[in-house]
Amino acid sequence: MTAEEPQSARREHVTPTATSNAPTPRAPARPEASTLRSLLPPLLALAVTLVAWEAYIRAAEVPLYLVPAPSDVVAVLARTPGRFAAAGFTSLIEALGGLAVGAGAAFAVAVVMAHSRPLERALYPLALLVKVTPVVAVAPLFIIWFGFGAAPKVLIAALITFFPMLVNAVTGLRSVPPAALDVFRALDASPWQTFRLLRVPASLPYVVAALKISVPLSLIGAVVAEWMSGDGGVGQIILIANSSLDTASLFAAVVVLAVLAVALTGAIALVERRLLSWHESAEVQ
Amino acid sequence: MRTRLFAMLLVGLALLPACGAPSAPRTAAEPTPTATPRPLRDVTFIAGFRAQANLAFVAAYLAQECGYFAEEGLRVTIRHSAGQDEHLKLLLAKEAQFTTATGAQALLRYADGLPVRAVALWGQRGDQGYVARADSGIRTPADFKGRSVGIKSGIVPAELRAMLAGVGLTTEDVRLQGVGFDPRVFVQGAVDIYPVFLGNEPFAIRKTGTAITTFDPADFGVATLGLTYLAHADVVRDDPTLVRAFLRATLRGAQLAAERPDEAVAATLKYADGADPAQQRYLLDADLAAAKRADGMGRASADQWRALQATLERYGVLTKPVPAPGPFEGAIIGGLYDAQGRLR
Amino acid sequence: MRAACARDGGAVHVPESSAGSSPSASPAIEVRGVTHHYGGDDGLLAVDDASLAVAEGEFVSLVGPSGCGKTTLLRAVAGLLAVERGTVHLSGDTPRAAAAAHAVGLVAQEPGLLPWRTAEENVALPLQLGGIDAERQGEVRAALDRVGMTEFARFRPRELSGGMRQRVALARALVHRPRVLLMDEPFGALDELSREDLCVELLRVWEHERVSVLFVTHSIREAVLLSDRVVVMSPAPGRVVAEVPITLPRPRTLAMLESEACAAAVREIRAALGRLPAEVT
């Protein structure tokens, strides 16, 4: 600094303060309180729906073999909770296995497709074929090839979750900000470094979004596979309940599925909050 | 498209002579048809499975094609179940007036307190059994021991338990394996003993070149019943005329099927597009054999139903009491036959 | 003192470096006869036989209207594109070799920060890519201090303003002590006050570091305030039409923007921009 320092020199060393386009600083959050408060509206809506449903069934004397009342469903669940819990657990494991296999395979294929446009063009029709193949056609073949047990059901669940994850992962892996890519290249980053440090983290929001879509799909896949083989899990309960007109058990099975779906999606939301707090889509507390 | 229409025309023409020779002559006491047509009643019949040559279905197909329904003053819509057991629900909701169900299903739903009655019993013996590959060394139920036995929908049928009990075995002595509805798992050897509809899958399995041994529970002293016609209890109680009309038309159709099974298959093919005529014929023949009854097709005795009830109770399939008078309403169909077992 | 610059286009010259190194040493950046089309051979001609040089420790701005190819030239120097014709060297190395030697720092108009990393993790990136582990913490801290972002080290990009993000980008570009700093309209997305703040910040940092800088901008005043020399390019196809030395004393201050010397330089540059390029023989 020279001797004659004009008044404006004081402005020379400007510490960054909240300028006109600065965002609000972080405020401390109380997660427990806000979670509870956010749960209230849906719980309230659910309660109102259940009460209305029960009232209508009673008033219109709708027979049990057509539609059960919520009290009937609760009674069935209370009578044999172990049966529903065990079936739910079986379906859950199959669904998770399918999710892992399907999402894993999809991500691997996506990595290939993201790095090579010719390969993407070559593989995309095959991926579409996987998507539109009806489970009904494929399930018996899987049972023949992979035997009874969990394998065919996991594979069917994987089949259903494959496509949404593939599409999202390819988009995500390509969604790197070009300026960041330039910086990587100017720093002579290797392809592996670019993949590991840039593409994979950039793809995470898309991957998590695909997981949220895939969770209910994987459950449906597992249940449909069980339903076609009559071999345990929630799908078997649905099959038996349907053929004996046991609508209460049928709806109870659906409740079990809904609980599983909500729990899984909630788990993913937790993971999301942990991993993706940096993303624009995350809530600003 | 044109050839299909032509073929249908040919079949229709072929049926005309068949239909035109009624073998159940009307008695002189019947009123002569009046000049003015009676108003037709709309009836829905929903078969409990997809279109195929089960006698219970064929009876309706022929009654439709030959105008027997019309002669009874009925305008019948024939529908088929999509396989989701919705036909029972439709019957209970009175969206359909008649449907089919096995004797066991009729009994179980009746015991559940549902307002259903069986008004005709087509299968005097059950139509479900088991198959094993001919080279597997399984020749009798005693050979089931230690082998894998498929069960559909996760339910262990009473027939299986009864067959095993007959040779001193229980389900603990076999390996139960949930199977789907595709017999290829059996053909590929994934399961040793496979549950089938005896008139159906064995034919298809033999077509794959696999030699099989069939096991009919009735051969081992197990009391089961085949398909019935099911109606809503309210209809049976308040409108027996409708039931009588429907049964009369379908019984005439069944008789025609017994006399001219080829035409019966042709009529079935109109509903079951693309089915194998040979397989349909095989199925019809099996059902016709199971329907033979001295005092007239479709009838049943209280003893038969009691025997079925005993079997189901013994093996834990039926756990509720069966209120009187039981699921079968025999009076209406009984009134259609004379003492010699001929249709009046 | 700065060497006199040629006023008519295309001549290559190697100015004496103010750091006093031997005049025959390779310049920090040397661009010779570069020609390049947008989008392959059939596309628009972006740059036409352009040449310029930046001496060691010199701050050179590249100004011109939009589409004059200045970004293309900068990207060529950064090794982000290969030119069709002509040569680019950084202290005698090819751009790729210079990148491999971690001799280049790049700041673009978009900060290009990784949103999932904190400010300090972003600044650490060049060291991480180069496999330099041990001194990392200290270097990162120092770089953040230099741009005045110490207290925001743990903040994520989405919690920072545009100006703050560019400061972090600048720190990242300097943390690995490159020989050359390339900047492509880095303050273009900011409001005027932030631009001024960041110019001051850049000057202060540069006084400390004395890297060789090639600074692309379309703001003439900014170019005059920051540079030792301003290279002027014509509209597309871009050619170098003038090089204007800036004789303002260092260290520069914002007040100098009001001076007559500054106004003169601005006039000269404007005149050069209004001129047609000289015929190429």
Side-chain angles (χ1 to χ4, degrees):
Chain A
M1 286 295 199
T2 56
E4 69 272 344
E5 254 184 12
Q7 281 296 94
S8 55
R10 210 147 308 159
R11 253 188 87 212
E12 301 294 305
H13 188 102
V14 180
T15 47
T17 52
T19 58
S20 53
N21 53 351
T24 52
R26 291 177 291 192
R30 278 196 299 269
E32 296 78 34
S34 66
T35 310
L36 235 55
R37 216 174 306 135
S38 68
L39 279 179
L40 210 53
L43 282 180
L44 213 57
L46 188 64
V48 167
T49 311
L50 289 177
V51 167
W53 177 6
E54 180 87 34
Y56 175 71
I57 301 259
R58 296 280 175 93
E61 293 189 347
V62 178
L64 181 57
Y65 54 79
L66 280 184
V67 177
S71 52
D72 297 316
V73 176
V74 168
V76 163
L77 285 168
R79 212 167 38 234
T80 53
R83 178 174 175 237
F84 287 95
F89 185 71
T90 305
S91 300
L92 177 66
I93 298 295
E94 290 161 3
L96 283 176
L99 199 60
V101 169
F107 194 81
V109 174
V111 168
V112 168
M113 285 170 85
H115 283 92
S116 159
R117 292 251 177 214
L119 268 177
E120 178 187 5
R121 275 195 295 273
L123 291 175
Y124 196 76
L126 289 176
L128 267 178
L129 192 70
V130 166
K131 166 143 179 71
V132 303
T133 303
V135 172
V136 176
V138 153
L141 290 175
F142 276 16
I143 295 176
I144 291 173
W145 291 334
F146 303 108
F148 301 107
K153 300 175 200 128
V154 166
L155 286 172
I156 285 168
L159 214 65
I160 294 188
T161 61
F162 180 81
F163 195 78
M165 178 57 78
L166 179 71
V167 168
N168 266 30
V170 171
T171 307
L173 287 168
R174 290 229 178 96
S175 73
V176 293
L181 197 57
D182 282 345
V183 167
F184 267 69
R185 287 172 63 195
L187 290 169
D188 196 41
S190 70
W192 169 243
Q193 282 175 322
T194 309
F195 176 75
R196 185 169 59 96
L197 300 172
L198 185 58
R199 290 197 191 277
V200 169
S203 72
L204 275 183
Y206 295 82
V207 166
V208 170
L211 277 178
K212 283 200 217 163
I213 296 174
S214 296
V215 154
L217 287 179
S218 67
L219 275 171
I220 290 174
V223 168
V224 166
E226 289 161 354
W227 184 75
M228 299 205 67
S229 65
D231 195 10
V234 177
Q236 188 193 58
I237 294 187
I238 293 178
L239 200 55
I240 298 177
N242 216 20
S243 65
S244 48
L245 293 185
D246 183 0
T247 55
S249 291
L250 186 66
F251 275 62
V254 172
V255 165
V256 169
L257 280 182
V259 165
L260 286 177
V262 166
L264 276 180
T265 308
I268 294 191
L270 268 175
V271 166
E272 182 185 28
R273 217 171 320 173
R274 200 61 57 84
L275 281 184
L276 294 183
S277 53
W278 51 266
H279 198 242
E280 304 95 64
S281 65
E283 282 177 17
V284 178
Q285 295 292 337
Chain B
M1 188 59 190
R2 290 255 298 277
T3 45
R4 180 112 57 94
L5 279 172
F6 189 58
M8 279 174 64
L9 188 60
L10 274 184
V11 169
L13 284 174
L15 274 178
L16 282 180
C19 299
S23 50
R26 305 210 170 190
T27 61
E30 274 223 34
T32 51
T34 54
T36 54
R38 281 176 294 175
L40 295 177
R41 295 187 61 179
D42 280 307
V43 169
T44 301
F45 165 70
I46 174 160
F49 198 58
R50 63 168 182 267
Q52 55 184 31
N54 280 119
L55 183 58
F57 302 3
V58 165
Y61 300 153
L62 285 173
Q64 183 82 296
E65 299 303 309
C66 298
Y68 299 157
F69 282 136
E71 288 175 27
E72 299 295 330
L74 303 176
R75 181 164 51 208
V76 176
T77 310
I78 299 180
R79 292 171 52 186
H80 296 84
S81 162
Q84 302 299 321
D85 290 306
E86 75 276 21
H87 54 288
L88 283 172
K89 291 196 185 117
L90 289 172
L91 182 80
L92 291 166
K94 298 192 180 170
E95 297 285 323
Q97 283 66 45
F98 299 96
T99 186
T100 63
T102 64
Q105 278 176 325
L107 181 55
L108 287 169
R109 299 291 85 80
Y110 179 82
D112 279 341
L114 295 177
V116 294
R117 306 298 300 288
V119 293
L121 177 68
W122 293 102
Q124 302 295 321
R125 40 195 280 164
D127 53 1
Q128 298 176 61
Y130 292 87
V131 293
R133 286 176 299 280
D135 56 9
S136 63
I138 303 173
R139 273 177 249 294
T140 72
D143 299 327
F144 284 22
K145 187 179 170 107
R147 313 297 287 252
S148 55
V149 179
I151 53 172
K152 285 179 180 160
S153 309
I155 308 174
V156 181
E159 295 101 315
L160 178 62
R161 291 196 208 268
M163 269 170 54
L164 291 172
V167 290
L169 296 173
T170 70
T171 51
E172 306 286 309
D173 297 310
V174 302
R175 275 184 298 125
L176 293 174
Q177 172 66 57
V179 294
F181 297 92
D182 192 324
R184 286 178 292 179
V185 294
F186 164 76
V187 172
Q188 293 295 112
V191 72
D192 295 323
I193 299 148
Y194 187 75
V196 296
F197 287 88
L198 291 163
N200 218 331
E201 285 107 314
F203 188 92
I205 294 173
R206 286 192 181 108
K207 266 207 300 201
T208 68
T210 312
I212 49 175
T213 316
T214 56
F215 298 90
D216 188 341
D219 294 337
F220 300 96
V222 179
T224 54
L225 299 178
L227 283 182
T228 67
Y229 273 165
L230 219 56
H232 199 288
D234 294 348
V235 170
V236 172
R237 182 190 60 224
D238 302 329
D239 199 351
T241 316
L242 177 66
V243 178
R244 193 173 308 125
F246 186 80
L247 286 178
R248 186 140 203 287
T250 49
L251 284 172
R252 290 173 68 192
Q255 260 180 10
L256 185 60
E259 289 161 16
R260 300 194 212 204
D262 281 326
E263 274 107 14
V265 170
T268 306
L269 290 176
K270 284 168 113 179
Y271 295 86
D273 201 8
D276 178 0
Q279 179 157 9
Q280 299 303 310
R281 178 60 193 270
Y282 179 83
L283 175 56
L284 180 60
D285 287 342
D287 265 14
L288 282 169
K292 276 204 179 38
R293 209 185 143 95
D295 59 353
M297 270 197 291
R299 299 178 77 169
S301 68
D303 283 338
Q304 280 175 294
W305 286 94
R306 271 196 285 270
L308 174 66
Q309 182 177 339
T311 306
L312 295 182
E313 279 169 350
R314 181 127 147 254
Y315 298 105
V317 176
L318 175 61
T319 52
K320 299 179 189 160
V322 178
F328 189 72
E329 172 52 64
I332 301 178
I333 193 168
L336 291 172
Y337 285 103
D338 63 17
Q340 280 73 44
R342 288 189 302 253
L343 259 186
R344 292 183 203 271
Chain C
M1 276 299 113
R2 312 285 185 266
C5 311
R7 300 281 175 97
D8 32 9
V12 172
H13 65 274
V14 180
E16 293 166 8
S17 100
S18 55
S21 45
S22 92
S24 62
S26 299
I29 301 176
E30 187 180 21
V31 176
R32 264 208 249 205
V34 165
T35 302
H36 195 78
H37 291 80
Y38 289 128
D41 287 327
D42 320 329
L44 189 63
L45 185 59
V47 180
D48 190 13
D49 194 28
S51 303
L52 63 87
V54 176
E56 288 274 341
E58 197 183 9
F59 196 122
V60 173
S61 286
L62 189 54
V63 305
S66 301
C68 72
K70 43 194 204 297
T71 294
T72 305
L73 271 182
L74 191 88
R75 290 177 69 83
V77 175
L80 296 174
L81 63 85
V83 295
E84 291 160 20
R85 232 177 305 164
T87 63
V88 177
H89 288 102
L90 288 84
S91 301
D93 293 328
T94 63
R96 293 273 60 182
H102 296 277
V104 177
L106 178 64
V107 181
Q109 189 165 24
E110 292 295 322
L113 298 177
L114 303 181
W116 51 88
R117 289 192 175 206
T118 61
E120 62 182 350
E121 287 166 351
N122 266 293
V123 173
L125 180 69
L127 300 177
Q128 184 181 10
L129 290 176
I132 305 166
D133 217 21
E135 316 104 54
R136 205 198 291 183
Q137 231 5 70
E139 294 287 342
V140 171
R141 260 304 132 96
L144 278 171
D145 289 344
R146 249 174 276 138
V147 298
M149 289 290 290
T150 317
E151 41 193 278
F152 297 92
R154 295 283 168 83
F155 279 56
R156 293 221 146 85
R158 78 175 196 146
E159 294 160 319
L160 303 173
S161 68
M164 292 152 87
R165 288 185 208 152
Q166 279 296 36
R167 285 174 201 262
V168 174
L170 182 60
R172 177 180 64 182
L174 293 173
V175 72
H176 54 295
R177 302 201 179 277
R179 292 199 305 262
V180 166
L181 181 63
L182 303 174
M183 306 183 83
D184 185 3
E185 306 200 40
F187 311 139
L190 304 173
D191 60 274
E192 189 171 343
L193 293 180
S194 301
R195 285 184 87 125
E196 283 185 356
D197 290 344
L198 279 163
C199 277
V200 166
E201 204 69 46
L202 178 59
L203 281 171
R204 200 177 49 78
V205 169
W206 183 74
E207 289 290 338
H208 196 264
E209 299 279 324
R210 288 289 171 145
V211 288
S212 315
V213 181
L214 183 58
F215 187 96
V216 167
T217 179
H218 56 253
S219 164
I220 301 175
R221 278 161 59 88
E222 196 168 81
V224 168
L225 177 63
L226 294 171
S227 332
D228 298 317
R229 181 160 49 95
V230 176
V231 174
V232 183
M233 287 184 76
S234 65
R239 293 188 196 103
V240 174
V241 295
E243 298 200 18
V244 176
I246 308 296
T247 53
L248 297 170
R250 289 209 186 263
R252 304 270 171 87
T253 65
L254 282 178
M256 293 179 191
L257 284 174
E258 318 300 326
S259 70
E260 181 46 44
C262 174
V266 170
R267 273 197 301 274
E268 196 176 342
I269 294 168
R270 271 201 215 287
L273 279 170
R275 264 175 52 160
L276 295 167
E279 289 294 302
V280 179
T281 45

